[in-house]
Amino acid sequence: MKRLFAVIGLGRFGYSVAETLLKKGCEVLAIDRDEEKIQAISEIATFAVQCDATDERALKDVSTQNVDVAVVSIGENVEASVLIVQTLKDMGVKSIVAKAVAPIQGKILKNLGVNEVIYPERDTAIRLAHRLISPNVLEYLELAPGYSIEEVSVPEQFSGLSLKEAKIQDKHNLNIIGIKKQVSRMVQGRMMKGETFNFTPLPDDVIEKGDVLVMIGKEEDLDRFSGAE
Ligand code: ATP
């Protein structure tokens, strides 16, 4: 049986979560108190219901089906997100993810038993700052404090070397988990540009200027490698 996701609060964040889940073929119960938000999602959502989710009875009534995972995407109103999480816990929803705009809101939600707290604005800002510090860094994802995955353009001095020759693991203490290459090929007489992704890089694979390395390691080592330090 397919899992049922409830997305409560259809602002930009909640809408995108619901839309992506639906595109992936999941069942989504979309809830918002704003009629327009419900109208906007009603054509794609499995169920779309307008209600004030802080109203315990209303929320229980619309969730007659068993919700497996709930995403509470109400950032601005701390009280509302707390009340909604409390009702979801009472209903026995096992997995709850909640959006927070401030650390204090995140702490309260965690104390209530939310499995995961997301800070979309803070996380986007951190990723942007990493890219601004070093233009070689194209993408950044923190895995644990002090450790991350980064996509880094191949520095000039490594162009034409195999991974074995580049000795990135030995000298920089970084693991390369993927190589992206830009490719051009003729399709029906037209030159088309695309990208290949090698996610099982081998020691003899050659890297060139223009390639992107997907690397995992300590942030200080990644900063040194990408020229941020
Ligand atoms: P985003 O940044 O994701 O666009 P936002 O910060 O602009 O969101 P929020 O205040 O976090 O807006 O609200 C997100 C959505 O949650 C809105 O569509 C709002 O109508 C809905 N919402 C707020 N409170 C409730 C509630 N009590 N019950 C149901 N929906 C609610």
Side-chain angles (χ1 to χ4, degrees), residues 2-228:
K2 276 190 184 175
R3 288 194 299 170
L4 178 64
F5 293 84
V7 178
I8 303 168
L10 302 168
R12 286 155 298 185
F13 182 78
Y15 186 92
S16 297
V17 172
E19 188 185 33
T20 308
L21 288 167
L22 288 158
K23 276 188 186 153
K24 289 276 178 195
C26 303
E27 301 214 307
V28 174
L29 163 63
I31 298 172
D32 201 292
R33 64 179 175 192
D34 182 340
E35 172 70 36
E36 276 182 27
K37 298 280 170 66
I38 290 302
Q39 285 285 342
I41 205 157
S42 60
E43 279 197 7
I44 56 169
T46 321
F47 310 100
V49 182
Q50 182 203 0
C51 85
D52 181 345
T54 58
D55 179 339
E56 188 180 340
R57 174 156 292 250
L59 184 56
K60 285 182 176 166
D61 282 351
V62 298
S63 316
T64 44
Q65 315 225 19
N66 281 343
V67 171
D68 299 294
V69 182
V71 181
V72 181
S73 176
I74 294 171
E76 296 305 327
N77 187 339
V78 181
E79 197 184 328
S81 63
V82 165
L83 287 171
I84 294 165
V85 164
Q86 192 58 64
T87 306
L88 293 167
K89 292 297 286 180
D90 289 350
M91 286 162 55
V93 177
K94 293 265 179 318
S95 181
I96 305 174
V97 181
K99 168 181 134 169
V101 292
I104 183 72
Q105 184 184 10
K107 264 192 190 164
I108 296 169
L109 292 169
K110 268 272 173 201
N111 286 341
L112 282 175
V114 163
N115 305 74
E116 192 178 346
V117 177
I118 308 281
Y119 300 87
E121 294 201 341
R122 185 200 66 178
D123 294 349
T124 307
I126 291 173
R127 280 208 296 278
L128 173 66
H130 274 83
R131 285 200 283 115
L132 294 176
I133 292 167
S134 171
N136 285 334
V137 176
L138 307 173
E139 196 46 270
Y140 163 89
L141 178 70
E142 187 183 50
L143 293 176
Y147 294 85
S148 58
I149 290 183
E150 284 188 8
E151 289 188 3
V152 182
S153 302
V154 167
E156 189 106 41
Q157 70 265 32
F158 294 114
S159 187
L161 301 181
S162 66
L163 291 181
K164 196 167 52 192
E165 291 164 338
K167 294 194 172 66
I168 293 169
Q169 191 167 18
D170 297 345
K171 288 191 179 161
H172 296 270
N173 197 26
L174 296 169
N175 264 315
I176 297 172
I177 56 172
I179 304 171
K180 289 184 181 176
K181 280 184 186 288
Q182 302 301 320
V183 289
S184 305
R185 74 181 90 130
M186 291 293 271
V187 180
Q188 293 174 340
R190 287 178 61 199
M191 189 61 86
M192 304 292 277
K193 287 197 168 169
E195 191 179 75
T196 61
F197 184 45
N198 172 0
F199 57 91
T200 51
L202 298 169
D204 288 330
D205 288 342
V206 174
I207 51 178
E208 285 150 313
K209 191 166 176 259
D211 292 354
V212 173
L213 302 176
V214 185
M215 323 179 83
I216 185 166
K218 277 191 192 162
E219 270 175 23
E220 60 211 55
D221 295 326
L222 285 160
D223 284 351
R224 221 168 287 128
F225 182 81
S226 63

